[in-house]
Amino acid sequence: MDSILDIGRHSQVVRVADRSLMVEVGSGTLLAADSQDPLQKKKKIVILGTGWGGISFLKTLDCKLFDVQIVSPRNYFVFTPLLPSVTVGTVEARSVTEPIRRIIRKKDAEFHEAECIKIDPENKQVICKDVSELDFERKPEFALDYDYLVIAVGATSNTFGTKGVDEYCHFLKDVEDAEKIREQVVDIFETASLPHLSPEVRRNLLSFVVVGGGPTGVEFSAELHDLVHEDLLCLYPHLKDNVTITLVQSGDHILNTFDKRISQFAEKKFQRDGVHVKIGCRVLEVTNKHIRFKSKDTGQLVDVPYGMIVWSTGIRTRPVITDFMKQIRQENRRVLATDEWLRVKNCEGVYALGDCASVEQRKIVEDIADLFKLADKDNDGYLSAAEFVSTMEGVRVRYPQIDLYMNHNHMKGVIGLLDEAMNAGDQGTTKLDLEHFSAAISKVDSLMKCMPATAQVAAQQGTYLARSFNHFAQGKPAEGPLHIREQGHHRFHPFCYKHLGSFAPLGGETAAAELPGDWVSIGRSTMWLWYSVYASEQVSWRTRALVMFDWTKRFIFGRDSSRM
Ligand code: FAD
């Protein structure tokens, strides 16, 4: 290194011996800078995954500044929130997908349709395997070098090791899953219409079971109910009394991450519609004939015969990530841990976002705890209510994302914990006992780790990371308020999730929404809001037009029940 040039309070441009400019970022990491230097070699970025995280990163990244390569086994992006609609033909599969090659058409980036099978952080390489089924002589594996690796491979469905799930259940993670479900529903109705079936076999065949009362399971049940009652029963009126839909949920309520009013409304609506909701029931096994579950309250075992089961109970890390976590001493964690700047812990130059990663807010939480301790001027272990409030204000100024989290369900819990700590101290004088506060803050820590695995989080993380890369590469200091730690090295604002609200379509042109600021909206007008938000969120004008066309077609002609 021959010289150091200060470009502002927060970053340094460093001229190294080969005359390229680098920007010092974080704890001594160097990123390529100054695209005007003709001798400078571009830094290689490899992006794994073309889902919400990978695509939002790619769309925001200035690809001229880097040598960008994208690896994914599927050469398209899927708008996952509309997958339940694909299962029943409300929208077509190709309307919710956008080819990657269209997205990178005007970008300086290369795409490889392959699966990453190994990450080698020592040699800064990823080993990929071609996924084509074409039968010709070739070596299926190849390696790609990287300077920076962005991991956005998402996650797979979690079966919790339940016997028979992999063999007999459908999952709902990708377009192929949705198409398989659509085909089987129609197959079941045609088969159940054959004349030689006994009434019992017919009833069993028309028994649909959905496992998982989260947003996906609930939305799928609602879509299935609409398909059956709005379209199929008009075409198969003889099957009217044979169809059942059962929704099995292990928790005490369906949609339990939503506001209580929404989950209560959903349960009542399903009851009116005739969808059997079994709450507090854990599935023990699935055989080729029935699904067995146990009621947590009564301990009773129930066997339900089925024609189709859709399993939607959460997510699990992919094998390539589990292997990588072992290499970087993170094997005890559920998902890849990153810091607030999305850097994978114990691994230089690797970033992770979306469902495969979890942001640890430990530093922020420790810092908040320190602020509260500092506020205890007389050092008696107690804060007065006024001191508590003024410290909380300080925390909010320093960490604006706290306020945003507070709108989210998890953070409602945080407020509750802080309230508890206040009361635990001295109820008469509403003083805060710091010991209880420390216990509360450690619970806050684990709550803050639970950023939801949603498209919203993945997309915001992708945009944040790409903007940071663009700034580093252009040699600009980061935009916006900067987070400066006295002893730490982070000069850039950490990732800050902004919760924009969540929807739960409940069938019959009714939806519920939880909007920022604790607003809850339920009804037909919310469904129209859902239509407009999801139309505007499409990744291209092409998919936007296709989705709107499919909705219109469905309104006029109903859903198509042909089996292709
Ligand atoms: P994904 O979008 O899953 O993308 C992962 C990418 O990695 C894919 O392109 C995949 O092909 C690729 N990949 C996989 N393995 C490898 C490998 N070995 N090498 C390279 N690439 C690989 N969220 C919301 O916010 N709102 C909703 O309404 C909503 N509805 C949903 C409905 C359904 C049915 C589902 C399944 C999910 C829904 N979600 C919703 C959640 C949301 O889709 C996920 O949180 C989001 O997709 C996560 O983004 P990601 O980039 O981490 O992963």
Side-chain angles (χ1 to χ4, degrees):
M1 244 176 241
D2 33 72
S3 65
I4 294 179
L5 172 70
D6 209 335
I7 56 158
R9 276 189 320 168
H10 315 296
S11 306
Q12 290 179 328
V13 172
V14 181
R15 186 171 288 281
V16 289
D18 69 354
R19 296 177 57 208
S20 60
L21 291 184
M22 316 284 274
V23 180
E24 191 186 335
V25 179
S27 47
T29 311
L30 293 179
L31 275 166
D34 196 355
S35 52
Q36 296 123 25
D37 189 332
L39 294 180
Q40 181 201 316
K41 206 162 163 251
K42 286 180 186 174
K43 291 276 173 186
K44 289 186 186 134
I45 298 186
V46 172
I47 307 168
L48 300 180
T50 51
W52 281 97
I55 290 304
S56 72
F57 177 80
L58 180 66
K59 284 184 102 177
T60 314
L61 188 73
D62 186 345
C63 292
K64 284 191 232 83
L65 302 175
F66 301 96
D67 171 354
V68 183
Q69 311 213 45
I70 310 135
V71 178
S72 176
R74 59 182 202 206
N75 75 344
Y76 54 85
F77 164 81
V78 188
F79 191 86
T80 46
L82 288 182
L83 278 183
S85 304
V86 174
T87 60
V88 295
T90 308
V91 291
E92 296 298 329
R94 285 186 183 266
S95 306
V96 298
T97 58
E98 181 72 358
I100 296 307
R101 300 224 175 245
R102 277 183 75 94
I103 296 173
I104 61 170
R105 208 170 28 167
K106 291 184 188 143
K107 290 230 160 214
D108 216 348
E110 255 182 78
F111 172 71
H112 308 292
E113 192 190 55
E115 183 185 355
C116 168
I117 50 169
K118 179 134 193 106
I119 299 168
D120 177 357
E122 288 251 307
N123 298 308
K124 292 206 153 197
Q125 263 193 349
V126 287
I127 313 296
C128 305
K129 192 173 164 201
D130 154 10
V131 289
S132 166
E133 283 166 8
L134 286 177
D135 186 18
F136 70 98
E137 254 182 56
R138 81 243 197 236
K139 220 170 130 215
E141 288 173 16
F142 59 95
L144 294 175
D145 294 330
Y146 66 79
D147 294 303
Y148 305 110
L149 177 65
V150 176
I151 307 176
V153 295
T156 60
S157 301
N158 199 348
T159 64
F160 301 97
T162 314
K163 218 169 125 196
V165 175
D166 281 322
E167 290 97 310
Y168 303 115
C169 297
H170 284 270
F171 297 108
L172 183 47
K173 281 294 289 171
D174 211 334
V175 185
E176 294 107 37
D177 301 330
E179 286 193 306
K180 276 190 210 151
I181 293 174
R182 182 175 178 184
E183 197 183 309
Q184 192 170 339
V185 173
V186 181
D187 188 8
I188 285 176
F189 272 77
E190 286 302 344
T191 310
S193 300
L194 293 174
H196 65 296
L197 298 190
S198 69
E200 194 196 349
V201 171
R202 187 167 289 127
R203 256 198 321 275
N204 293 350
L205 204 51
L206 288 164
S207 156
F208 296 90
V209 180
V210 182
V211 184
T216 304
V218 167
E219 188 177 346
F220 172 69
S221 309
E223 287 274 9
L224 184 63
H225 175 269
D226 283 0
L227 169 74
V228 170
H229 290 269
E230 290 171 8
D231 298 286
L232 295 182
L233 289 184
C234 305
L235 306 174
Y236 306 81
H238 50 286
L239 300 177
K240 190 169 181 298
D241 299 325
N242 296 281
V243 185
T244 52
I245 301 174
T246 309
L247 175 61
V248 185
Q249 157 75 333
S250 60
D252 293 338
H253 292 283
I254 59 171
L255 293 180
N256 55 11
T257 54
F258 279 72
D259 189 281
K260 230 195 214 152
R261 285 165 285 178
I262 293 181
S263 69
Q264 279 170 356
F265 179 86
E267 281 168 12
K268 281 194 190 132
K269 179 165 191 315
F270 276 6
Q271 202 178 7
R272 280 198 307 273
D273 290 348
V275 175
H276 306 294
V277 180
K278 306 278 181 201
I279 52 173
C281 291
R282 203 163 65 83
V283 176
L284 299 182
E285 66 163 347
V286 182
T287 69
N288 60 348
K289 294 214 167 56
H290 65 252
I291 174 168
R292 169 170 293 179
F293 49 83
K294 185 178 178 182
S295 160
K296 280 202 244 166
D297 284 346
T298 61
Q300 194 194 359
L301 289 180
V302 183
D303 285 345
V304 175
Y306 68 88
M308 186 171 96
I309 302 177
V310 174
W311 187 273
S312 166
T313 58
I315 53 173
R316 177 167 54 107
T317 315
R318 290 188 189 278
V320 65
I321 300 299
T322 316
D323 170 73
F324 176 52
M325 284 162 75
K326 277 189 200 139
Q327 294 182 60
I328 57 167
R329 303 182 310 282
Q330 286 201 12
E331 61 267 53
N332 297 329
R333 295 173 191 269
R334 204 177 44 83
V335 285
L336 259 180
T338 71
D339 63 13
E340 297 95 321
W341 290 263
L342 308 187
R343 298 177 299 190
V344 172
K345 297 203 156 180
N346 314 335
C347 198
E348 185 75 6
V350 182
Y351 299 78
L353 42 103
D355 286 2
C356 67
S358 140
V359 182
E360 285 211 343
Q361 313 274 349
R362 188 172 296 277
K363 287 198 181 65
I364 296 184
V365 174
E366 278 169 10
D367 209 15
I368 294 174
D370 286 348
L371 284 175
F372 276 94
K373 280 185 193 138
L374 279 176
D376 176 23
K377 295 208 176 66
D378 48 5
N379 234 352
D380 63 351
Y382 288 93
L383 289 186
S384 70
E387 281 170 332
F388 176 81
V389 171
S390 73
T391 315
M392 199 65 210
E393 282 310 308
V395 167
R396 283 179 173 163
V397 171
R398 190 151 176 174
Y399 298 107
Q401 69 265 44
I402 290 277
D403 262 349
L404 297 163
Y405 279 122
M406 294 226 177
N407 290 330
H408 193 260
N409 258 357
H410 287 120
M411 291 315 286
K412 283 186 201 153
V414 172
I415 304 220
L417 288 169
L418 295 179
D419 276 352
E420 244 175 57
M422 292 276 286
N423 292 330
D426 179 340
Q427 298 198 9
T429 57
T430 57
K431 280 191 166 184
L432 175 70
D433 179 335
L434 283 176
E435 224 175 87
H436 281 88
F437 181 74
S438 299
I441 213 86
S442 68
K443 288 191 203 159
V444 172
D445 181 19
S446 59
L447 282 169
M448 285 183 80
K449 270 186 232 157
C450 302
M451 205 174 284
T454 62
Q456 259 189 74
V457 171
Q460 288 181 27
Q461 288 180 331
T463 308
Y464 160 84
L465 194 61
R467 280 199 188 133
S468 309
F469 268 83
N470 292 345
H471 275 96
F472 300 157
Q474 289 157 353
K476 289 184 198 163
E479 273 176 349
L482 294 178
H483 168 60
I484 306 161
R485 294 169 63 82
E486 270 159 34
Q487 293 161 348
H489 308 279
H490 310 298
R491 292 137 193 232
F492 294 86
H493 196 286
F495 168 68
C496 167
Y497 170 55
K498 189 170 182 180
H499 187 60
L500 301 173
S502 351
F503 283 103
L506 301 171
E509 295 303 314
T510 304
E514 205 178 64
L515 303 166
D518 238 354
W519 276 58
V520 166
S521 163
I522 302 174
R524 283 176 178 261
S525 52
T526 315
M527 193 67 208
W528 285 102
L529 185 64
W530 181 90
Y531 283 124
S532 38
V533 168
Y534 281 5
S536 68
E537 287 296 306
Q538 294 297 318
V539 283
S540 71
W541 279 101
R542 190 188 70 89
T543 53
R544 190 167 298 128
L546 289 175
V547 162
M548 287 182 355
F549 176 72
D550 288 348
W551 284 334
T552 315
K553 199 173 68 176
R554 201 275 290 171
F555 273 119
I556 302 171
F557 302 108
R559 300 167 183 88
D560 182 354
S561 66
S562 29
R563 189 174 156 225
M564 302 290 184

